[in-house]
């Protein structure tokens, strides 16, 4: 069989290793944002260069996620996971030692390559190591750690920059990566996918399409949505992705089988994930600036005040995983998304140029509970909606859609903010942030509706049982 049942170190080690690896990859999405002024002071460069210190990572991460998952399925998930950690750790050290802005941007791009290989394989390796009955709780802890990393990126970056130096936002990854390498080698079992050959045309079409779209989304707010490069990226990327879909419906061994989307469970949770990250990323991007630039908190103070939101996954997500095991993931995910939407809408109502922290606290708590309820069962739904041999590519596709959603969220929120307000005064910032938060709330509510379209657990189990010729595919790998 392609997924070994023997577990070298058991579920606990797999959970620790994959959670820490996922934390590193997720953290680096937003960890740089609060360090940009210090980076500019040390390394120079214009606004365009600083934006690329964030965008270079997002681009390579989003573009190569599905390819990284496909490499793991073909050549061994543990082997590629270790390779991804090695690249990510080395690039983190290079970023910390960067002598100039250009070398920092290059190191960030290589970081994204390592993360793209490492991240989708965390879920696949975890699934292979954990018994079916305990996967909900395991996904809950994994989701809590990853949710905390995404949401606390500005806090971690701001605290390290304020109290040590901006280089430490990258040095932080090095001891973690070095510790994970021997642990992954000794404690994780190797597994493979179907053993099918790599889909080179599909890989080129998907990677090129995602690159064009993410590039256009990232550069749109800065260069203008009618800029030639932005329009070229968006249209060319869309055309390549359309070609990828057409090709994948006809190819013998496609990288992402389009038949997966015939499953309401797979299609529904991926739509919910994209919309969730669109609303959440854009909101965090603006709220972290609001607390610092308008309310006058330091990066550390702002991060601490956001803990009722950003830290809630650590408390609630494991419970959400247990609930998902008992009642199914759909009601838990949908409830979480609607609570997140409610929290963002409430924040839009109470936000003023001199708002007290007490007035914001209910919104932060509700949003935090909602985010926590989403993360754990969402991972479970993705992995349980496909055959074991296809879990690697399912994880890669879901993570790619999340990253595209995050890039789209920042682009959409920044555009709404710029159209309605600006940085001139605290009031103009609030004038721009409010409609952006309302938009984020509406998008996350749509994610909740998408989650309600996911079939019940009994229906999904019947589908999985009826589609059980999967072991034949797995045995063919060997």
């Amino acid at each position: 069989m392609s997924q070994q049942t023997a577990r070298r170190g058991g579920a606990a080690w797999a959970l620790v290793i994959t959670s820490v690896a996922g934390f590193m990859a997720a953290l680096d999405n937003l960890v740089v944002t609060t360090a940009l002024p210090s980076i500019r002071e040390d390394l120079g460069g214009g606004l365009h260069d600083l934006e690329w210190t964030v965008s270079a990572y997002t681009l390579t991460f989003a573009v190569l996620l599905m390819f990284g998952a496909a490499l793991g399925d073909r050549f061994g998930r543990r082997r590629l996971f270790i390779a991804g950690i090695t690249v990510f750790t080395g690039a983190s050290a290079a970023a910390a030692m960067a002598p100039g802005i250009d070398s920092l941007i290059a190191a960030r791009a290589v970081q994204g390559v390592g993360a793209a290989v490492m991240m989708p394989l965390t879920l696949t390796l975890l699934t292979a190591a954990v018994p079916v009955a305990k996967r909900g709780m395991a996904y809950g802890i994994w989701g809590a750690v990853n949710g905390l990393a995404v949401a606390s990126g500005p806090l971690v970056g701001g605290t390290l920059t304020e109290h040590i130096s901006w280089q430490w936002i990258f040095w932080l990854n090095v001891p973690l990566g070095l510790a994970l390498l021997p642990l992954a080698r000794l404690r994780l079992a190797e597994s493979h996918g179907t053993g099918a050959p790599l889909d080179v045309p599909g890989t080129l079409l998907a990677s090129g399409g995602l690159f064009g779209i993410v590039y256009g989304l990232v550069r749109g707010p800065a260069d203008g949505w009618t800029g030639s490069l932005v329009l070229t990226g968006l249209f060319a990327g869309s055309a390549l992705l359309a070609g990828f879909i057409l090709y994948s419906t006809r190819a013998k061994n496609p990288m992402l089988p389009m038949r997966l989307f015939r499953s309401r469970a797979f299609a529904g949770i991926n739509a919910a994930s994209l919309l969730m990250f669109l609303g959440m990323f854009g909101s965090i991007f603006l709220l972290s600036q609001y607390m610092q630039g308008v309310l006058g908190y330091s990066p550390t103070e702002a991060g601490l005040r956001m803990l009722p939101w950003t830290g809630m996954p650590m408390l609630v997500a494991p419970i959400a995983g247990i609930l998902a095991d008992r009642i199914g993931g759909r009601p838990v995910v949908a409830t979480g998304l609607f609570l997140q939407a409610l929290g963002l809408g409430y924040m839009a109502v109470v936000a003023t140029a001199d708002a007290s922290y007490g007035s914001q606290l209910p919104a932060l708590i509700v949003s935090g509970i909602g985010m926590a309820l989403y993360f754990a069962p969402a991972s479970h739904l993705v992995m349980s909606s496909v055959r074991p041999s296809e879990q690697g590519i399912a994880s890669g596709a879901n993570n790619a859609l999340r990253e595209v959603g995050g890039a789209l969220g920042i682009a959409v929120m920044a555009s709404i903010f710029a159209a309605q307000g600006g940085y001139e005064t605290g009031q103009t910032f609030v004038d721009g942030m409010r409609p952006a938060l309302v938009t984020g709330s509406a998008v996350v509510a749509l994610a909740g509706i998408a989650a309600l379209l996911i079939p019940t657990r009994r229906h999904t189990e019947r589908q999985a049982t009826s589609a059980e010729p999967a072991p034949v595919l797995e045995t063919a790998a060997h």
Side-chain angles (χ1 to χ4, degrees), residues 59-446:
L59 270 172
T60 53
F61 191 16
V63 164
L64 297 175
L65 270 165
M66 282 196 291
F67 184 51
L71 287 174
D73 285 352
R74 181 68 180 86
F75 297 110
R77 291 160 179 163
R78 185 188 65 187
R79 179 184 300 171
L80 266 293
F81 179 71
I82 291 171
I85 294 174
T86 303
V87 172
F88 184 85
T89 304
S92 296
M97 297 184 292
I101 194 70
D102 291 336
S103 56
L104 176 59
I105 292 170
R108 286 283 288 165
V110 178
Q111 260 193 316
V113 174
V117 175
M118 174 176 68
M119 186 66 171
L121 298 177
T122 58
L123 264 182
T124 319
L125 290 165
L126 182 62
T127 301
V130 178
V132 174
K134 297 182 179 179
R135 283 178 187 167
M137 185 170 64
Y139 290 144
I141 297 171
W142 182 92
V145 174
N146 280 269
L148 178 66
V150 170
S152 64
L155 167 61
V156 173
T159 301
L160 290 174
T161 300
E162 184 178 343
H163 297 292
I164 309 178
S165 72
W166 65 263
Q167 284 88 348
W168 276 92
I169 64 179
F170 302 114
W171 282 126
L172 177 66
N173 294 322
V174 176
L176 293 175
L178 292 176
L180 286 179
L181 287 171
L183 288 175
R185 179 70 183 85
L186 296 172
R187 298 294 183 178
L188 294 177
E190 185 61 279
S191 65
H192 296 77
T194 62
L198 280 178
D199 178 13
V200 176
T203 297
L204 293 175
L205 286 169
S207 299
L210 286 173
F211 180 86
I213 289 176
V214 176
Y215 177 89
L217 294 176
V218 167
R219 299 307 310 158
D223 295 349
W225 293 104
T226 58
S228 58
L229 287 177
V230 172
L231 289 176
T232 299
L234 292 174
F235 284 118
S238 299
L240 288 172
L241 280 186
F244 169 71
I245 293 171
L246 289 174
Y247 165 82
S248 298
T249 58
R250 302 172 182 175
K252 183 178 180 181
N253 295 300
M255 180 176 69
L256 178 60
M258 288 297 111
R259 60 178 170 74
L260 295 181
F261 289 95
R262 297 174 193 162
S263 162
R264 279 171 50 201
F266 186 77
I269 191 57
N270 277 287
S273 295
L274 186 147
L275 293 168
M276 158 66 176
F277 270 67
L278 195 160
M280 185 188 70
F281 256 63
S283 300
I284 291 175
F285 178 74
L286 288 175
L287 285 171
S288 62
Q289 296 182 70
Y290 166 69
M291 287 197 166
Q292 294 178 61
V294 178
L295 300 183
Y297 299 126
S298 70
T300 304
E301 291 171 340
L304 289 173
R305 282 164 174 77
M306 290 182 74
L307 276 180
W309 183 13
T310 60
M312 196 64 71
M314 291 300 293
L315 301 176
V316 179
I319 301 172
I322 296 171
L323 282 175
D325 282 340
R326 293 183 177 179
I327 65 174
R330 182 180 74 160
V332 182
V333 166
T335 300
L337 291 169
F338 287 127
L339 285 175
Q340 176 86 316
L342 178 63
L344 290 176
Y346 187 90
M347 179 63 77
V349 172
V350 301
T352 63
D354 57 353
S356 68
Y357 181 63
S359 67
Q360 303 167 53
L361 190 57
L364 295 171
I365 293 173
V366 170
S367 293
I369 294 173
M371 183 167 66
L373 290 176
Y374 159 81
F375 269 113
S379 302
H380 199 171
L381 286 168
V382 170
M383 302 305 279
S384 63
S385 66
V386 298
R387 300 172 181 176
S389 60
E390 295 170 329
Q391 286 175 337
I393 197 58
S395 173
N398 183 256
N399 278 284
L401 287 170
R402 289 182 178 189
E403 290 302 310
V404 171
L408 178 60
I410 292 175
V412 170
M413 300 293 196
S415 297
I416 295 172
F417 171 81
Q420 301 293 324
Y423 290 91
E424 293 79 12
T425 66
Q427 187 57 51
T428 57
F429 190 97
V430 171
D431 290 341
M433 185 182 71
R434 275 180 168 169
L437 290 181
V438 170
T439 302
S441 174
V443 169
V444 177
L446 285 176

Side-chain angles (χ1 to χ4, degrees), residues 428-468:
T428 57
F429 190 97
V430 171
D431 290 341
M433 185 182 71
R434 275 180 168 169
L437 290 181
V438 170
T439 302
S441 174
V443 169
V444 177
L446 285 176
I449 295 172
L452 290 176
L453 299 178
I454 298 170
T456 62
R457 180 166 59 178
R458 289 181 181 177
H459 180 79
T460 302
E461 287 172 351
R462 284 200 303 270
Q463 281 189 327
T465 303
S466 65
E468 263 316 297

